[in-house]
């Protein structure tokens, strides 16, 4: 059987709590094999909700949907329709190109071949990319530093997800049982022109240059849905400058 090259996209959808189930069902009807739902907390630059002076965290559901290029448009349309992402404050979705995938060949019924760097570069350059996704992984309790720094540097918002780390230097034990330190993952979607400033602010604010404090990295985003107000603001700013 000749090898078929599989090009996949990862759709990351962030919506209000209890919407994920309907979205996953819709993606399955559109051809997706399934998805992964994570719980997180959202924040916005203009966040004003407080209770007794304490900021109120907005619960969010983060859905990871990996799909083949062939069905990607249908799956994305299903997400947009079900989550009503064309309406304000309903959530956002963004798309990342995947360079290589393993572990799902049996689901798709094909053999995989790794895409070369040259071909990947051509794919990424076919469409102008306006956004980056900054992923910051820090120790539990430090996500607030990341959020504050990113806001000051111009980020419009983000999502915090709880997780666990298994770094080679994490050797804390209790009754001779290895303890996996709790981690917080901050997803920050940012316009390309602000990426460097926000990344530097996070680096300084969260002290990432200190060993064991955390890590941050940037992924290029191919497409975004649900953040039209950001684009409108950019257009307005440019018009005012002129």
């Amino acid at each position: 059987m000749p090898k078929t090259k599989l090009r996949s996209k990862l759709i990351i959808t962030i919506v209000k709590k209890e919407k994920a189930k309907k979205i996953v069902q819709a993606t399955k009807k559109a051809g997706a094999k399934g998805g992964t739902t994570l719980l997180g907390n959202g924040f916005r630059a203009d966040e004003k909700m407080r209770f007794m002076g304490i900021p109120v965290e907005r619960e969010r559901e983060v859905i990871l949907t990996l799909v083949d290029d062939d069905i990607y448009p249908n799956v994305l349309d299903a997400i947009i329709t079900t989550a009503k992402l064309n309406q304000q404050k309903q959530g956002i979705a963004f798309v990342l190109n995947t360079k290589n995938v393993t572990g799902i060949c049996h689901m798709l019924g094909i053999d995989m071949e790794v895409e070369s760097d040259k071909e990947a570069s051509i794919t990424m350059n076919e469409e102008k990319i306006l956004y980056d996704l900054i992923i910051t992984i820090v120790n539990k309790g430090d996500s607030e530093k990341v959020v504050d720094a990113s806001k000051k540097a111009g980020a419009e918002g983000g999502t915090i997800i709880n997780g666990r780390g298994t770094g080679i230097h994490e050797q804390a034990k209790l009754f001779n049982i290895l303890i996996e330190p709790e981690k917080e993952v901050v997803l920050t979607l940012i316009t390309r022109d602000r990426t460097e400033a926000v990344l530097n602010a996070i680096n300084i604010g969260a002290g990432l240059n200190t060993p064991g404090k955390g890590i941050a990295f940037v992924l290029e985003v191919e497409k975004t849905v649900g953040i039209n107000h950001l684009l409108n603001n950019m257009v307005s700013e440019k018009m005012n400058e002129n």
Side-chain angles (χ1 to χ4, degrees):
M1 179 179 177
K3 286 191 174 183
T4 303
K5 185 162 296 183
L6 174 64
R7 289 180 178 172
S8 301
K9 296 188 186 297
L10 177 64
I11 306 174
I12 301 179
T13 310
I14 303 175
V15 292
K16 297 176 182 178
K17 190 179 179 182
E18 298 182 354
K19 282 192 171 185
K21 187 175 181 180
K22 290 184 179 179
I23 294 173
V24 171
Q25 290 174 344
T27 59
K28 286 182 177 179
K29 289 181 181 179
K33 298 297 181 180
T36 301
T37 302
L38 306 171
L39 296 178
N41 296 313
F43 68 88
R44 293 203 303 264
D46 59 348
E47 195 66 79
K48 295 180 180 179
M49 286 187 61
R50 289 178 175 266
F51 178 72
M52 297 183 69
I54 301 173
V56 178
E57 294 183 336
R58 300 172 181 269
E59 291 181 299
R60 294 286 185 263
E61 289 179 323
V62 182
I63 308 153
L64 309 180
T65 311
L66 187 65
V67 295
D68 184 19
D69 257 1
D70 293 341
I71 64 170
Y72 147 69
N74 293 335
V75 174
L76 183 60
D77 286 342
I79 292 173
I80 294 171
T81 301
T82 305
K84 300 178 181 179
L85 296 185
N86 286 328
Q87 300 179 19
Q88 289 189 359
K89 298 182 180 180
Q90 294 300 311
I92 63 172
F94 46 94
V95 182
L96 303 175
N97 268 319
T98 60
K99 189 172 182 181
N100 195 8
V101 180
T102 187
I104 59 169
C105 301
H106 63 289
M107 295 172 60
L108 301 177
I110 60 176
D111 290 330
M112 283 180 45
E113 183 177 300
V114 178
E115 184 179 13
S116 71
D117 290 339
K118 182 178 180 181
E119 290 168 333
S121 176
I122 293 174
T123 302
M124 294 299 291
N125 288 329
E126 287 176 354
E127 186 176 330
K128 186 177 180 180
I129 299 172
L130 297 176
Y131 291 88
D132 284 332
L133 174 65
I134 302 176
I135 300 180
T136 310
I137 304 173
V138 292
N139 298 323
K140 185 176 181 180
D142 285 347
S143 62
E144 187 175 342
K145 298 177 182 178
V146 177
V147 170
D148 289 343
S150 62
K151 283 182 179 180
K152 291 177 181 178
E156 294 288 337
T159 302
I160 303 169
I161 302 172
N162 293 319
R164 287 186 177 275
T166 54
I168 59 174
H169 300 297
E170 321 275 37
Q171 298 296 328
K173 290 187 177 183
L174 178 64
F175 298 116
N176 206 35
I177 300 174
L178 183 65
I179 301 172
E180 294 181 350
E182 292 186 66
K183 302 292 182 181
E184 290 176 327
V185 182
V186 185
L187 307 180
T188 309
L189 189 65
I190 194 74
T191 52
R192 175 67 55 85
D193 59 330
R194 295 180 179 176
T195 298
E196 186 174 353
V198 173
L199 185 63
N200 288 338
I202 291 173
N203 186 36
I204 296 171
L208 299 186
N209 284 329
T210 302
K213 294 295 289 183
I215 184 174
F217 53 94
V218 181
L219 298 176
E220 294 181 344
V221 175
E222 178 181 331
K223 184 179 179 67
T224 60
V225 181
I227 52 175
N228 292 334
H229 65 285
L230 294 179
L231 292 174
N232 292 336
N233 289 341
M234 291 171 61
V235 172
S236 297
E237 288 176 1
K238 289 183 178 180
M239 290 180 65
N240 291 332
E241 289 176 359
N242 296 332

